Amino acid sequence: MAMEKVIEVNNLKKSFGNTEILSGISFTVNKGENVVILGKSGTGKSVTIKCIAGLLIQDEGSLKVFGREVKDLEEDKLKALRCRVGFLFQSAALYDSMTVRENLTFPLKKVLKIKDKAEIENRCIEVLKAVGLGDAIDKMPADLSGGMRKRMGLARTLIVKPEIILYDEPTTGLDTITSKEISQLILDMQEQYDASSVIITHDMSCAKITADRVLILHDGKCIAEGTYQELENSEDTFIRSFFK
């Protein structure tokens, strides 16, 4: 049976001024799959996922999410798409003046227009339990550790029940134990919510734990793809250099 493709990227190009960041990248993501993107700084990893989320528009090439060309979507359709695509920013991007509960409630009211208080409360409790923060609902972001902030950011991404989750360096700045906990959490979210994910990371432990498939970007192109083990054992010295 053919896999359902939720993201289809074909010959994507993107420049800023005279600097070409993406030089014709192509890949797909299947439903329920975790794809990890590796690459040195400046190779276009973050630009790629911002294009997927519709935060940036490519100069050339095709980018389809759920079969729809993102650059052709009108504003209301783009907003609807963003409800289905969750973006976990590197900083977790929490509202520091709001409690955990208020941070979670905000997208439910503003994005999904949910008014039922019981449903809002139940969703808040559900996602906080899912990320292991069941007791933190009335805390302020300043009271949370770095790892807890990452979990909180993930909870806020999950609360709108996205079908695709884009992770931008989800373990950056965390100690080894917390990094492994966040990586395991990404796997748990894949299983619990049947989410498809694109994960940008420099953390090879995170890549090994989470990836169904790994892509390597170099000079704005995808130069290799395969399982973690396949690429780790590649005969190409540049590809293998990522796994040392």
Side-chain angles (χ1 to χ4, degrees), residues 110-242:
K110 294 291 184 185
V111 179
L112 298 187
K113 311 294 185 190
I114 296 173
K115 295 178 180 173
D116 184 85
K117 289 183 179 179
E119 183 181 352
I120 290 171
E121 183 72 5
N122 288 338
R123 281 221 196 182
C124 291
I125 291 167
E126 178 194 341
V127 293
L128 286 175
K129 282 183 177 174
V131 302
L133 285 179
D135 297 331
I137 195 163
D138 293 314
K139 290 187 175 181
M140 300 297 290
D143 299 327
L144 305 178
S145 66
M148 290 170 80
R149 286 178 72 92
K150 290 278 188 182
R151 288 171 182 269
M152 177 55 210
L154 182 52
R156 200 177 65 181
T157 301
L158 287 171
I159 201 158
V160 296
K161 298 188 176 175
E163 296 159 67
I164 295 171
I165 305 174
L166 308 173
Y167 296 92
D168 190 5
E169 299 283 2
T171 60
T172 293
L174 302 178
D175 61 76
T176 305
I177 292 171
T178 308
S179 293
K180 284 188 176 171
E181 288 176 351
I182 295 295
S183 300
Q184 185 58 50
L185 197 53
I186 292 171
L187 273 190
D188 294 344
M189 297 307 99
Q190 180 189 24
E191 290 173 17
Q192 189 171 339
Y193 291 90
D194 195 27
S196 313
S197 299
V198 179
I199 303 153
I200 288 175
T201 186
H202 285 95
D203 178 353
M204 296 310 292
S205 172
C206 174
K208 189 172 187 178
I209 291 168
T210 60
D212 295 310
R213 194 155 44 96
V214 177
L215 308 178
I216 295 180
L217 296 195
H218 182 59
D219 289 341
K221 284 194 167 113
C222 178
I223 61 162
E225 70 171 279
T227 65
Y228 185 96
Q229 287 74 20
E230 285 167 351
L231 297 186
E232 185 179 32
N233 296 321
S234 170
E235 293 180 2
D236 185 301
T237 52
F238 179 77
I239 292 169
R240 217 168 47 246
S241 70
F242 285 90

Side-chain angles (χ1 to χ4, degrees), residues 54-98:
L55 300 173
L56 291 173
I57 298 298
Q58 73 269 27
D59 301 325
E60 293 180 41
S62 170
L63 196 163
K64 292 181 179 178
V65 179
F66 304 119
R68 305 287 299 276
E69 188 72 50
V70 176
K71 67 178 171 53
D72 294 340
L73 294 177
E74 295 171 1
E75 189 62 32
D76 59 332
K77 296 283 196 305
L78 190 57
K79 283 182 179 175
L81 174 72
R82 287 184 184 143
C83 288
R84 301 175 72 188
V85 179
F87 198 123
L88 185 66
F89 292 93
Q90 204 173 125
S91 63
L94 303 176
Y95 298 113
D96 286 331
S97 60
M98 295 182 180

